[in-house]
Amino acid sequence: MAFEGTSTYVATDALRLAVDAAVTLQRPLLIKGEPGTGKTLLAEELARSLDTRLVTWHIKSTTKAHQGLYEYDAVSRLRDSQLGIEGVHEVRNYIKPGKLWEAFEAERRVVLLIDEIDKADIEFPNDLLQELDRMEFYVYETDQTVRARHRPIIVITSNNEKELPDAFLRRCFFHYIEFPDRDTMQAIVDVHFPDIDRRLVEQALEVFFDLRAAPGLKKKPSTSELVDWLKLLMADQLAQQALHERDPARSLPPLAGALIKNEQDTSLLERLDFMARRDGRRR
């Protein structure tokens, strides 16, 4: 398999090689990178390029590994037994398959996305080692083994909120998505807005990368936020005009709320703007 990206997803050479390597090795592809750099979107576009289904397991702080396998609803079974509900003696009626079970039982190979694995407890990744290695797990309540009909392509994303265990890392192929340079970002913009005004893109990218370079910024604007900002600019002629006529020394662009997402960074940029204007007056 050779992943080349899609018409709506720009994949760098390094990312394409990482996908192909993970598939060849039959190991999960662990993807890290700044929020908004397309980690989750990679799995979606990979499934689309293969014309297959995407099975997504969104991880939360309360998620447990066994939920990806299955859950046994003993409470409902007890309630139904008290009410005399038919079928209560069949334990299978109270087994809820998880996302791994769904991926394992698919009739053709699917892409399984385990999204933001670092949000869960530190033991969560280790609790999945055997299942991801052997592509099977045992259901105690029904005395059955669920095996993968076709080994899914597994994409695991992490935002580096916590370190992942070494034993888990050894079983993955790792790739860090570097933040796009200007040329790659231009290609991403062209994919999303093929008919966008060239002058608007040039000025927007200039502002965007200047903002990311601002010292002390708590949250740098991401690729997805640039796309949102351009969408707003294209829909607002006054904002476009304000961007074209903007003083380069000013830190906050029009519709800055699409790029700057907290009051600390807004205050920081306003202070930088003030100091730049003050230094300009002194000269």
Side-chain angles (χ1 to χ4, degrees), residues 105-164:
E105 286 210 325
E107 294 184 357
R108 55 176 299 196
R109 181 174 65 170
V110 300
V111 175
L112 171 62
L113 169 63
I114 303 177
D115 201 24
E116 299 188 331
I117 194 172
D118 52 320
K119 282 188 174 181
D121 184 85
I122 188 63
E123 291 303 320
F124 177 89
N126 280 341
D127 290 342
L128 290 175
L129 289 180
Q130 180 171 306
E131 289 76 13
L132 295 181
D133 260 356
R134 298 185 179 180
M135 287 285 123
E136 66 178 38
F137 60 88
Y138 183 69
V139 183
Y140 293 92
E141 291 79 3
T142 59
D143 188 28
Q144 70 177 115
T145 298
V146 177
R147 293 186 177 89
R149 295 184 182 180
H150 308 279
R151 178 180 286 270
I153 298 172
I154 302 174
V155 178
I156 302 173
T157 69
S158 169
N159 285 324
N160 254 350
E161 291 186 11
K162 60 172 68 77
E163 290 295 323
L164 299 174

Side-chain angles (χ1 to χ4, degrees), residues 46-96:
L46 178 56
R48 192 163 75 91
S49 71
L50 296 173
D51 191 26
T52 192
R53 187 160 58 93
L54 174 69
V55 177
T56 302
W57 186 13
H58 293 294
I59 306 303
K60 302 178 181 179
S61 60
T62 56
T63 303
K64 301 301 180 184
H66 71 83
Q67 293 172 319
L69 309 180
Y70 68 93
E71 293 184 87
Y72 169 51
D73 193 349
V75 174
S76 292
R77 192 182 187 196
L78 175 61
R79 181 199 61 211
D80 290 351
S81 68
Q82 293 170 339
L83 296 174
I85 301 295
E86 185 178 352
V88 71
H89 298 296
E90 182 55 70
V91 69
R92 294 177 186 274
N93 295 335
Y94 300 91
I95 297 291
K96 179 183 177 182

